[in-house]
């Protein structure tokens, strides 16, 4: 099997094990067994359990960025861009629950490189929101744009966690909830 394909397979299995057991309880032995490789091979590819976790988070971050960036292509207004971006986020977390669980388990990982990677994912989304809003709305100073982007990302993270407890809430419905609060506040500030 080509190295890149084997690496992808290892990351997918590790993501599932980390999501099922949590990072601390997950074992490299179990991951290696599920992949069908030796434990030393995992270490050869990723150096450590934390290295494997970092690879999982980096993969999730790249996929989330791609999904949200693609979703806003062709947006015709700030409202359209925000709605498309929010929907892409909620679809991602709905369809990729294991990846999402890695990104939301930040408290367990504080003080590790993984918490820095999770924060990098958050900054990635915040930067994308700020860039989009700047292109469509006059929010004033750069610090205000950044603050608005942080509020949007933080609110959506909490709503996503709430959605986990409410299976009946579709990504579309979550987007509607978020838009009702967020867009109304943005329009009021720029109107």
């Amino acid at each position: 099997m080509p190295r890149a394909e084997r690496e992808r397979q290892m990351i997918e299995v590790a993501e599932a094990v980390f999501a099922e057991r949590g990072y601390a309880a997950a074992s490299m032995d179990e991951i290696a067994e599920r992949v069908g490789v030796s434990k030393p091979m995992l270490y050869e590819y990723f150096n450590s359990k934390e290295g494997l976790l970092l690879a999982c988070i980096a993969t999730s971050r790249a996929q989330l960025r791609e999904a949200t960036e693609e979703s806003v292509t062709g947006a015709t207004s700030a409202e359209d861009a925000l709605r498309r971006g929010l929907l892409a986020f909620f679809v991602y977390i709905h369809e990729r629950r294991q990846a999402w669980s890695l990104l939301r388990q930040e408290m367990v990982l504080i003080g590790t490189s993984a918490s820095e990677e999770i924060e990098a994912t958050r900054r990635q989304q915040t930067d994308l929101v700020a860039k989009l809003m700047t292109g469509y709305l006059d929010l004033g100073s750069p610090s205000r744009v950044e603050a608005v982007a942080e509020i949007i990302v933080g609110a959506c993270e909490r709503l996503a966690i709430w959605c986990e407890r409410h299976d009946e809430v579709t990504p579309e419905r979550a987007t509607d909830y978020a838009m009702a609060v967020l867009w109304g506040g943005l329009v009021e500030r720029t109107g």
Side-chain angles (χ1 to χ4, degrees):
M1 179 178 290
R3 182 177 176 95
E5 190 176 330
R6 174 68 73 193
E7 186 173 307
R8 182 189 52 73
Q9 181 187 35
M10 291 174 179
I11 289 170
E12 286 176 4
V13 169
E15 181 181 281
V17 173
F18 290 144
E20 290 167 19
R21 308 232 186 285
Y23 173 71
S27 77
M28 293 293 270
D29 289 321
E30 181 181 0
I31 294 168
E33 184 179 318
R34 285 196 194 183
V35 175
V37 300
S38 67
K39 185 174 164 182
M41 183 178 268
L42 282 177
Y43 283 101
E44 180 184 322
Y45 276 68
F46 301 103
N47 297 319
S48 66
K49 184 166 102 170
E50 185 176 3
L52 182 52
L53 176 65
L54 293 174
C56 290
I57 293 170
T59 299
S60 296
R61 182 174 64 233
Q63 292 168 343
L64 178 58
R65 181 174 188 97
E66 182 180 335
T68 52
E69 282 183 339
E70 284 179 9
S71 73
V72 297
T73 301
T76 57
S77 66
E79 182 177 11
D80 186 35
L82 183 59
R83 180 174 293 282
R84 288 175 180 220
L86 291 173
L87 181 59
F89 172 75
F90 290 116
V91 166
Y92 176 85
I93 64 159
H94 182 76
E95 292 177 354
R96 299 287 323 278
R97 288 184 186 256
Q98 291 177 340
W100 169 244
S101 76
L102 292 180
L103 296 176
R104 70 168 168 69
Q105 293 189 32
E106 179 176 21
M107 294 310 292
V108 177
L109 303 169
I110 287 179
T112 68
S113 299
S115 69
E116 294 168 13
E117 285 296 315
I118 292 169
E119 182 55 28
T121 302
R122 189 176 287 120
R123 281 193 311 272
Q124 165 191 288
Q125 294 307 110
T126 301
D127 291 347
L128 178 60
V129 170
K131 179 181 170 187
L132 285 170
M133 292 300 104
T134 299
Y136 289 107
L137 299 171
D138 180 14
L139 295 174
S141 70
S143 63
R144 186 172 182 174
V145 170
E146 187 177 341
V148 167
E150 291 283 349
I151 290 166
I152 291 170
V153 169
C156 289
E157 283 182 20
R158 291 304 310 166
L159 182 56
I161 291 167
W162 177 82
C163 287
E164 288 180 0
R165 297 187 312 267
H166 298 274
D167 285 338
E168 75 280 4
V169 178
T170 64
E172 292 77 12
R173 192 161 152 203
T175 299
D176 289 342
Y177 289 159
M179 284 296 293
V181 173
L182 298 171
W183 182 248
L186 284 169
V187 169
E188 185 177 306
R189 297 287 178 228
T190 59

